[in-house]
Amino acid sequence: MPNSNAKLHCNHRGGREASRRELVSRSLQSAQHCLGDQDFGTAYAHYLLVLNLAPELKTSVKETFQFTLFKWAEELDSLARIQDLFNCYEQALELYPNDEVICNSMGEHLFRMGFRDEAAGYFHKAVKLNPDFADAKENFYRVANWLVERWHFIMLNDAKRNLTYLKAIENAVHSGCKTVLDIGTGTGILSMFAKKSGASFVYGCELSKTMYELARDVVAANNMEREIKLLHLKSLDIEIPKHIPERVSLVVTETVDAGLFGEGIVESLIHAWEHLLLQPR
């Protein structure tokens, strides 16, 4: 009896495998037929089924799947079915999470719809996955021009101003301020000043996704990614100990521009004083 049961189980498993292969084969044929008829939505659905049933085919069908996805996305975009479009890209990125072409295409749709910060994130990921991907690099630089304010470049090239900040931070750290919070870290320059001055712990918060990603790259390029903790958060949303373990002894910021009125920097500094900064004894 045991041998008989084992044989039945083996036959059942073999039957399921044969059925799976048959379904995959028929779905692939249907997908190709739909592509020939330019029925991209149905073809996309067939490819989803194939890739979920037979993940071993991911490499062999990737280019055709991409073509089908992009064509179907164009139709959804023209029909203003935005949520369906995003759902398709989310499904595709679950199957191909490290595909720079799909990331770049998702970013292009987001950019056209006005979601520039989110688009920059996808372009940035595409470039990170493939630094030689010319389209993604061009897209990233284009969206960065929209998102990175011109005064960033002016300030970064103002040597006198930067030296003044550096000396002020050095004086504060050397006088005993060993934990630092940089509000609106931007490129991360003040956070790096604090770390180079000898601060034990440095935290930088940045609301803009694009600037946050840029700061991460700049900090990593200076080999400080383990020493400076960057938070993609508004300073008003920072909680202790959820985001930083304890109150800091120094808060630095260079967000004194139009943001003084529009982004609530006064409220941010009051919040930092009341909740994040060590109080003098």
Side-chain angles (χ1 to χ4, degrees):
M1 284 296 291
N3 288 337
S4 178
N5 287 336
K7 182 182 278 189
L8 284 172
H9 180 70
C10 186
N11 288 338
H12 180 63
R13 187 170 56 188
R16 283 191 303 176
E17 177 60 20
S19 297
R20 182 187 74 91
R21 274 185 281 197
E22 175 65 21
L23 181 56
V24 168
S25 177
R26 283 194 282 110
S27 292
L28 279 173
Q29 291 174 8
S30 297
Q32 290 295 328
H33 180 74
C34 291
L35 284 179
D37 292 340
Q38 297 192 341
D39 182 359
F40 300 114
T42 306
Y44 174 77
H46 281 298
Y47 277 119
L48 277 186
L49 178 62
V50 167
L51 290 169
N52 279 288
L53 287 175
E56 67 273 15
L57 297 178
K58 282 184 179 180
T59 301
S60 61
V61 304
K62 183 169 84 167
E63 288 188 10
T64 312
F65 174 75
Q66 287 174 343
F67 172 80
T68 307
L69 167 67
F70 301 156
K71 286 295 186 181
W72 180 224
E74 287 176 8
E75 284 191 25
L76 292 173
D77 193 8
S78 68
L79 296 168
R81 292 171 56 183
I82 306 307
Q83 190 57 56
D84 289 336
L85 185 153
F86 288 151
N87 288 342
C88 286
Y89 273 97
E90 286 175 4
Q91 292 165 341
L93 287 169
E94 284 180 8
L95 293 166
Y96 296 97
N98 295 318
D99 189 288
E100 69 273 19
V101 178
I102 295 176
C103 286
N104 182 65
S105 181
M106 175 66 157
E108 289 175 339
H109 281 286
L110 287 165
F111 184 78
R112 283 196 295 271
M113 293 172 192
F115 301 107
R116 295 188 180 115
D117 219 11
E118 293 82 354
Y122 281 97
F123 293 145
H124 183 263
K125 182 178 179 181
V127 173
K128 295 285 276 189
L129 289 167
N130 182 1
D132 297 323
F133 189 8
D135 287 349
K137 285 199 291 187
E138 182 180 344
N139 284 331
F140 181 69
Y141 295 143
R142 179 163 55 114
V143 75
N145 283 332
W146 285 88
L147 294 171
V148 180
E149 299 288 350
R150 289 290 178 261
W151 48 262
H152 274 289
F153 302 107
I154 297 171
M155 290 194 303
L156 288 172
N157 287 284
D158 187 340
K160 182 178 179 181
R161 173 186 173 282
N162 293 336
L163 184 60
T164 301
Y165 263 109
L166 175 59
K167 288 182 176 179
I169 292 172
E170 281 180 344
N171 289 338
V173 171
H174 293 165
S175 67
C177 297
K178 296 298 185 181
T179 54
V180 181
L181 172 64
D182 179 8
I183 295 178
T185 194
T187 58
I189 187 170
L190 298 189
S191 292
M192 292 187 292
F193 283 171
K195 193 62 198 177
K196 286 182 177 180
S197 298
S200 303
F201 301 99
V202 179
Y203 311 95
C205 65
E206 176 57 55
L207 183 59
S208 165
K209 178 69 171 175
T210 302
M211 294 307 300
Y212 165 74
E213 294 289 354
L214 179 60
R216 289 183 61 185
D217 285 348
V218 172
V219 167
N222 285 273
N223 299 313
M224 294 186 181
E225 65 270 31
R226 295 184 180 179
E227 302 172 317
I228 298 173
K229 181 177 180 179
L230 296 173
L231 304 166
H232 180 217
L233 282 173
K234 192 174 182 180
S235 60
L236 293 170
D237 295 330
I238 295 176
E239 298 178 18
I240 298 173
K242 182 179 179 181
H243 301 116
I244 60 177
E246 58 187 0
R247 289 173 179 253
V248 297
S249 52
L250 175 67
V251 170
V252 297
T253 186
E254 53 178 346
T255 49
V256 183
D257 64 335
L260 181 64
F261 306 102
E263 297 298 331
I265 189 60
V266 174
E267 289 84 354
S268 296
L269 293 175
I270 292 173
H271 174 77
W273 172 261
E274 293 179 343
H275 302 285
L276 306 175
L277 191 64
L278 285 171
Q279 300 299 310
R281 295 180 180 179

